[in-house]
Amino acid sequence: MPHNQLFLPLAVLCAATLVACGKSEIPPATPTAASELVVKIGASAPLTGPQAHIGKDNENGTRMAIEDANAKGVTIGGKKVRFELLSEDDQTDPKTATIVAQKLVDAKVNGVIGHLNSGTTIPASRIYSDNNIPQISPSATAVSYTAQGFKTAFRVMANDGQQGKVLGEYASKNLAAKKIAVIDDRTAYGQGLADEFAKAAQAGGAQIVAHEYTTDKAMDFTAVLTSIKGKQPDLVFFGGMDPQGVPLVKQLKALGLNAKFMMGDGGYTPKLIELAGTAAEGVYASLPGVPLAQMPGGKDFSQRYEAKFKQPIQLYAPYCYDAVNVMIAAMQQAGSAEPAKYLPVLAKISYDGVTAKISFDEKGDLKGGAVTLYQVQQGKWQALQTMGGNAPAAPH
Amino acid sequence: MPLDILLQQILNGLVQGSVYALVALGYTMVYGILGLINFAHGEVVMVGAMVALSVSQLLLAAGLPPLLVLLLSLLAAVAVCMLLGYGIERIAYRPLRNAPRLAPLITAIGVSIVLQNLAMIFWGREYHAFPQMLPSSPHILAGAVINEVQITIVLVALAVMTGLLLLVHRTRLGRAMRAVAENPSAAALMGVDINSVISITFMLGSALAAVAGIMVSANYGIAHYYMGSILGLKAFTAAVLGGIGNLRGAMLGGLLLGLIESLGAGYIGDLSGGFFGSNYQDVFAFFVLIAVLVFRPSGLLGERVAERA
């Protein structure tokens, strides 16, 4: 059977790929000593697919916090603790997110950092809530995430209600845009943010002349942009992430559409400038929180991150780092890593993080979350102004 | 309905449709000969784009002129993809040629996942900026805008498709391909080397995929390991729309799908008074597909089933 010889190399190839792309779990370095308590932290973000670069950034931030804690040596209730990271790929897909959530629950994690997108965070949050496992999302900004009444759901970032309001007011008042076109990617995040933006912009006196749609996997936007061009807007707002933002702004410029372009936090990445090149010039984007350089530990964090992972921070890594640390702090204060014991402490905590002073309101939202508006000027993101929250004075 | 906007939508559709058509040809050629849907084809498109990206970055850094770099990276991508197409057929499909039809379909999906993950390991998860090697200054044509890259895409696609038709209908190799498609065992009895004809078909389809990959990346200025899967799905739809197994059908299906998408997304909102929006873009495209299949089950230009059986 000469045919069978061909299967072996293929099988080896498949196996190698699966091993290489499997979940990245820190292998237990030493056999667990009897006195040592192992605390499992679950994390989930898209590690494959169009948003894999942002998902990996989240994983890096989480991993860094856990390795820092292990290096420092943390004790909880008098016991020495070793933290273990269980990182899972949710593929930006709501269905996969629920499977991943169940997997983390079955692995008996003590808490979860994630997910990245609102569309995955919301369906997964029910599973964590049912199993009473605290969940801190570093980056899910949709209002509805914490509005479900789950006691286990927290986030360390201002939500889209706050963000959309700031963006909409800035567009209609500061930029004096009269006619605005809105595009969203039909995800929980993009749609939610676009709707909040449109509400605030209309309240500011602007008219929404078009509301068009795309998906979080699309690359060609010429059809909707051409249709928008016919309505001659002053500003185009896109609720979505940078993989769509880049071709969108390039095609907008190529079609000769003479309008300002604005995105939410999904657009505020170094990649957007690198990939869109000159088309990125003048693009507006926002990010909940204050600029990295003004975060309490921002400079030090970004230097250590770049030294460790040999790449710049993409987006949410500092928030992931804080999410882990606030969870650990709650465990320490409660003297237990048991979810039932540290959850009430987490709800009332006050913690000085890298990104901000973190404490949660009764819904699990970050108290006094600030939002900063940025613009690409000469190939760099420049902070324009920080609004809301206990923000420091507006930068330059 | 302003005329310049309509013209712009038609141009958008033609550019998008040309890419679909090129990729659809790869699906249809393989299906025509083997009755197999090569789901790894979208990944070959991606590999073509990624190889061109790496080669062009290297050569541009060496200071070669952009047009020469484009040509060389095209050649490199075509060569690598042809090799890849040959390898995929040899490893994943040939051993299963007489197996039940479901088996090669599963290996096709497997190959697609393997290629995607290997590309992710090799090129990383991040998006890469595809170097701009053609000038892309906009030309205004009766109020519509088109740039050199897009003009090149449409012209190259037309040239490649004409060349392929000539190859299949006017050459000895083309006759052998048609013979194998008609009846492999009879063709073998007449002295046609089936294995090499099938290998060549895979290599030709992969070469077209490489060209399409470069076009897509050059047009959007982006290359990413995931770019092949959605494009592959759309092109497969185009092939079915035109009649899978038929070369002219793939071309027609591709162009038509591009136009339907662009005109659909552009006008559905205004025509339905805002009841439907551009979120129905894909629904619209698939609705047309269903309608075509209900009335012509083998696609617009598809061969009659009896001929194949």
Side-chain angles (χ1 to χ4, degrees), chain B residues 13 33 36 59-60 76 84 88 100 144 151 153 181 186 193 199 211 233 239 242 250-251 260 274 282-283 289-290 292:
Chain B
I33 285 197
L36 161 80
L59 294 180
L60 283 174
L84 186 67
I88 292 173
I151 297 172
I153 288 178
D193 182 354
S199 288
V211 175
L233 199 67
M251 300 175 196
I260 291 170
D282 288 346
V283 177
L289 178 71
I290 292 171
V292 167

Side-chain angles (χ1 to χ4, degrees), chain A residues 63-274:
Chain A
R63 185 180 296 277
M64 198 163 139
I66 285 179
E67 288 180 1
D68 280 0
N70 282 338
K72 203 168 60 186
V74 174
T75 53
I76 292 176
K79 269 194 175 168
K80 204 174 156 357
V81 173
R82 189 165 52 80
F83 293 98
E84 250 177 43
L85 173 64
L86 269 72
S87 176
E88 293 287 345
D89 177 14
D90 68 23
Q91 300 169 9
T92 342
D93 175 39
K95 286 192 298 291
T96 311
T98 57
I99 298 169
V100 162
Q102 192 58 49
K103 199 171 165 190
L104 289 175
V105 167
D106 292 344
K108 302 215 166 14
V109 292
N110 298 69
V112 173
I113 307 300
H115 299 204
L116 190 155
N117 309 83
S118 299
T120 50
T121 305
I122 294 167
S125 65
R126 170 169 293 280
I127 294 171
Y128 300 129
S129 169
D130 287 349
N131 294 281
N132 204 30
I133 291 175
Q135 170 194 17
I136 305 180
S137 174
S139 49
T141 47
V143 176
S144 52
Y145 165 51
T146 50
Q148 303 173 99
F150 295 151
K151 287 197 170 58
T152 47
F154 299 90
R155 68 174 132 219
V156 289
M157 190 175 257
N159 68 29
D160 288 340
Q162 294 156 288
Q163 193 177 195
K165 192 159 173 268
V166 165
L167 285 164
E169 280 176 2
Y170 194 85
S172 56
K173 294 189 179 142
N174 299 37
L175 298 177
K178 289 278 157 283
K179 292 199 273 181
I180 294 179
V182 177
I183 307 174
D184 79 58
D185 68 359
R186 298 272 94 186
T187 63
Y189 161 72
Q191 192 178 344
L193 182 64
D195 289 349
E196 295 290 342
F197 167 85
K199 233 191 295 174
Q202 277 171 321
Q207 186 198 353
I208 305 296
V209 290
H211 194 143
E212 299 288 346
Y213 309 90
T214 181
T215 70
D216 59 349
K217 295 183 180 66
M219 259 177 121
D220 192 281
F221 308 95
T222 47
V224 289
L225 286 172
T226 303
S227 160
I228 284 176
K229 189 185 174 189
K231 310 212 162 99
Q232 299 167 328
D234 309 317
L235 184 138
V236 176
F237 178 82
F238 174 55
M241 305 296 287
D242 69 344
Q244 280 67 48
V246 170
L248 191 58
V249 70
K250 286 181 90 164
Q251 288 163 28
L252 183 136
K253 296 270 160 86
L255 281 171
L257 212 165
N258 227 339
K260 298 186 175 80
F261 184 71
M262 185 183 260
M263 285 180 72
D265 52 323
Y268 177 71
T269 61
K271 267 283 163 202
L272 184 110
I273 299 173
E274 184 198 323

Side-chain angles (χ1 to χ4, degrees), chain B residues 44-115:
Chain B
V44 179
V45 176
M46 175 270 296
V47 170
M50 293 310 238
V51 169
L53 170 83
S54 296
V55 172
S56 60
Q57 279 174 342
L58 222 70
L59 294 180
L60 283 174
L64 293 181
L67 271 178
L68 183 67
V69 172
L70 181 65
L71 207 68
L72 289 177
S73 50
L74 179 74
L75 286 178
V78 166
V80 171
C81 284
M82 285 174 90
L83 218 68
L84 186 67
Y86 175 80
I88 292 173
E89 194 271 330
R90 191 77 186 76
I91 294 173
Y93 302 145
R94 193 177 295 180
L96 296 172
R97 199 171 293 159
N98 297 316
R101 296 183 75 159
L102 217 50
L105 200 69
I106 301 296
T107 50
I109 295 170
V111 168
S112 154
I113 295 174
V114 168
L115 283 179

